Amino acid sequence: MGEAFDRGIDVDVKLAPAPPPDAPEILPAVRVDADHFWMDVPRVGRFLVRNGREMNVEPCPGASDGDVRAYLLGSAMGALLQQRGLLPLHASAVAVDGRAVAFIAPAGSGKSTIAMHLQHRGHRVICDDICAVEVGDGRAWLRPGLRNLKLWRASLGAIARTPDGLEPVLADMDKYRVPVDAPAEDRAFDLAAVVLLGWGDAPAIAPLPGAEAVGALIANTFRGQLVAPMGRQAAHWRQCLDLFNAAGVHRLVRPRALDRLAEASALVERLSLDMSR
């Protein structure tokens, strides 16, 4: 169970030259093949990820540590997980009754916000932004990852916090990293459900049918544009199908008003209970 997670962590991350590899350029200043990912971010730095084992970071002179960290733990980390054959979901995840619930949605749809609210209801945040998923034998597991919730200023108001003392996600962004106080658990969590977030007049939750559910998982794969140049199309589709079969995908709609979060969170808690029976 969770075999791919039980092997030792053996990624070599270092400050070192990051020259472009001999790989196709899929976007300006982005080169990708099955074993290499390279990205050159103006005024931030170059990032080279090789063979799921090495990450070279070459910051630009004067680049802020926060901006370098954001790209290292974002696009570069997503590429590393893809190279290792894992499914990186663009998601936030919370442990409810000991099992993981992962929230997927386009940017700005409230993934971190609902994770934050569930944390304040006594549940543990497992990871935010990138969730590494393994599937096999009809089961799905999620490994703890980065747990600094990325919250816009308005969402901070829902927990009576201000940005004072918080690190911006990027230097010019009004979005902040909010540390999670509870200690992390170094184990793979059973993934009980994947929840696609959306907006609606009243909180409601319902399962998605197969084709729509698998499509949502494909669309919410972190840096999914890397799948084709890495030659992982068939494996990626299989992972998404297996994840749907193991955990299912539900759509949760809720009003944008932050004072209605409690109703949406209660639906998630009920779903997790139902999936555990």
Side-chain angles (χ1 to χ4, degrees):
M1 182 188 305
E3 180 181 352
F5 289 135
D6 294 335
R7 295 194 291 267
I9 303 301
D10 53 355
V11 179
D12 183 16
V13 183
K14 57 189 176 183
L15 292 173
D22 183 17
E25 187 174 51
I26 66 165
L27 294 168
V30 178
R31 294 179 175 270
V32 180
D33 63 16
D35 301 313
H36 300 86
F37 169 83
W38 176 84
M39 175 176 61
D40 186 355
V41 184
R43 298 179 298 281
V44 176
R46 290 179 167 189
F47 303 83
L48 175 63
V49 183
R50 291 183 289 210
N51 304 310
R53 303 292 181 195
E54 303 173 51
M55 302 176 78
N56 284 13
V57 184
E58 184 180 359
C60 292
S64 77
D65 291 344
D67 284 2
V68 173
R69 189 182 308 117
Y71 286 97
L72 172 65
L73 300 179
S75 295
M77 180 63 70
L80 181 86
L81 295 174
Q82 295 266 21
Q83 289 175 1
R84 284 176 166 245
L86 298 173
L87 174 61
L89 286 182
H90 189 196
S92 297
V94 176
V96 181
D97 296 324
R99 302 183 72 200
V101 178
F103 302 99
I104 59 175
S109 298
K111 299 183 295 292
S112 298
T113 301
I114 195 165
M116 169 205 69
H117 194 266
L118 283 161
Q119 175 190 257
H120 280 260
R121 291 169 70 94
H123 306 291
R124 185 184 297 269
V125 173
I126 303 171
C127 52
D128 187 50
D129 201 34
I130 306 177
C131 294
V133 176
E134 178 192 14
V135 289
D137 299 324
R139 304 278 300 279
W141 303 272
L142 188 148
R143 185 72 173 181
L146 304 174
R147 300 191 311 140
N148 287 337
L149 292 170
K150 297 179 180 180
L151 297 172
W152 295 100
R153 183 185 295 267
S155 294
L156 290 173
I159 55 172
R161 290 199 65 166
T162 69
D164 296 342
L166 298 177
E167 179 187 4
V169 173
L170 292 172
D172 59 352
M173 184 180 286
D174 197 24
K175 191 175 190 180
Y176 302 88
R177 299 181 186 275
V178 180
V180 174
D181 295 332
E185 293 185 46
D186 187 19
R187 66 180 179 90
F189 286 78
D190 284 328
L191 183 53
V194 178
V195 177
L196 175 65
L197 300 179
W199 304 116
D201 294 333
I205 195 166
L208 286 181
E212 188 175 357
V214 173
L217 296 172
I218 291 172
N220 286 281
T221 297
F222 192 87
R223 298 299 181 263
Q225 65 267 45
L226 303 182
V227 170
M230 285 183 173
R232 298 196 67 249
Q233 301 98 311
H236 178 237
W237 181 86
R238 186 76 240 180
Q239 285 176 317
C240 292
L241 179 62
D242 288 347
L243 176 54
F244 165 71
N245 287 329
V249 180
H250 286 70
R251 175 183 280 117
L252 170 65
V253 297
R254 68 172 180 86
R256 293 178 182 271
L258 294 176
D259 60 4
R260 302 288 300 276
L261 274 170
E263 298 167 76
S265 293
L267 290 176
V268 172
E269 291 167 339
R270 191 178 310 154
L271 171 68
S272 179
L273 180 63
D274 290 342
M275 298 296 283
S276 299
R277 289 172 178 166

